Amino acid sequence: MKKLTALFLGLILMLNFVALAGVALAETQDAAAEAVDETAETAEGKTLVVYFSATGNTEAAANYIAEATGADILALEPVESYTDDDLDWTDENSRVVYEHDHPEDRAVELVAATVENWDECDTVFIGYPIWWGIAAWPVDTFVEANDFTGKTVIPFCTSSSSDLGDSGELLAELAGSGEWLEGMRFSSRVTAEDVQAWLDTLEL
């Protein structure tokens, strides 16, 4: 009887051990899976959409890109905002005309020119309206303030008629680092479908 009891207790202890071992193994596997997920996310990096928008058109395109790619988004805001009068390119006394005619005064101070966790971003979309055939110069401040080494940079712009021109190449020269891809110009009536069709060609 004692032998039977001892055998029974031993069996119970063994079953408990097996159950505990199973729980420990499951927890270890879960932890390993989480570590793999975190490593994969780090390896893939994040996508960021940065844009300056004067009248809302570039903002619309930027939001479509962010929604389609799951990217974070950052609006570049000048410390001294542009008013409607400032943006009147037909008025020779407006701010944009003055800045266009005086390149030395195009250094537009931004509320924020750098990005938290910038090192985690590996793909950066940069959007802007076209001013006089080039990127609206508030974007220059952001480009000059950041190191694009190891990042894929994709410019995009909006305009009523002008094309992308050399705006992307000029920003790449200003940055001096990063892999800059050919950009895309959208009309002032950009749609989500327009943006998605373009993104499909990038194969990111």
Side-chain angles (χ1 to χ4, degrees):
M1 183 66 180
K2 290 182 178 181
K3 289 182 179 181
L4 184 61
T5 301
L7 181 62
F8 181 70
L9 291 175
L11 180 61
I12 292 175
L13 289 173
M14 182 178 296
L15 291 173
N16 285 338
F17 176 78
V18 170
L20 290 173
V23 171
L25 178 61
E27 291 177 349
T28 300
Q29 290 174 333
D30 289 342
E34 290 177 4
V36 169
D37 289 342
E38 290 176 0
T39 301
E41 181 177 345
T42 301
E44 292 176 2
K46 293 183 178 180
T47 298
L48 175 68
V49 179
V50 180
Y51 72 93
F52 166 72
S53 186
T55 60
N57 298 326
T58 306
E59 180 180 18
N63 283 327
Y64 290 143
I65 294 171
E67 291 170 7
T69 62
D72 293 333
I73 192 166
L74 171 68
L76 301 179
E77 301 177 25
V79 171
E80 184 181 348
S81 300
Y82 285 86
T83 67
D84 290 341
D85 289 339
D86 289 337
L87 295 168
D88 185 0
W89 59 272
T90 64
D91 179 1
E92 62 181 12
N93 296 312
S94 71
R95 176 181 173 184
V96 289
V97 171
Y98 176 84
E99 290 173 345
H100 171 260
D101 293 342
H102 299 81
E104 68 278 8
D105 291 327
R106 293 182 192 170
V108 178
E109 183 182 359
L110 300 175
V111 173
T114 57
V115 183
E116 187 177 354
N117 300 324
W118 175 249
D119 291 342
E120 297 177 11
C121 301
D122 64 3
T123 302
V124 182
F125 289 86
I126 296 184
Y128 46 85
I130 291 290
W131 288 357
W132 283 273
I134 62 176
W137 34 89
V139 174
D140 293 353
T141 304
F142 175 81
V143 171
E144 290 181 305
N146 293 278
D147 180 4
F148 292 85
T149 300
K151 303 186 189 303
T152 298
V153 190
I154 310 165
F156 66 96
C157 72
T158 56
S159 72
S160 57
S161 58
S162 301
D163 59 21
L164 186 70
D166 295 330
S167 62
E169 287 86 345
L170 292 173
L171 289 177
E173 291 177 10
L174 185 63
S177 60
E179 179 186 359
W180 289 68
L181 304 185
E182 183 177 355
M184 180 65 177
R185 175 260 177 189
F186 295 105
S187 76
S188 56
R189 297 179 296 279
V190 59
T191 66
E193 290 73 23
D194 296 333
V195 167
Q196 188 61 60
W198 173 56
L199 291 174
D200 290 342
T201 68
L202 298 178
E203 299 181 353
L204 297 176

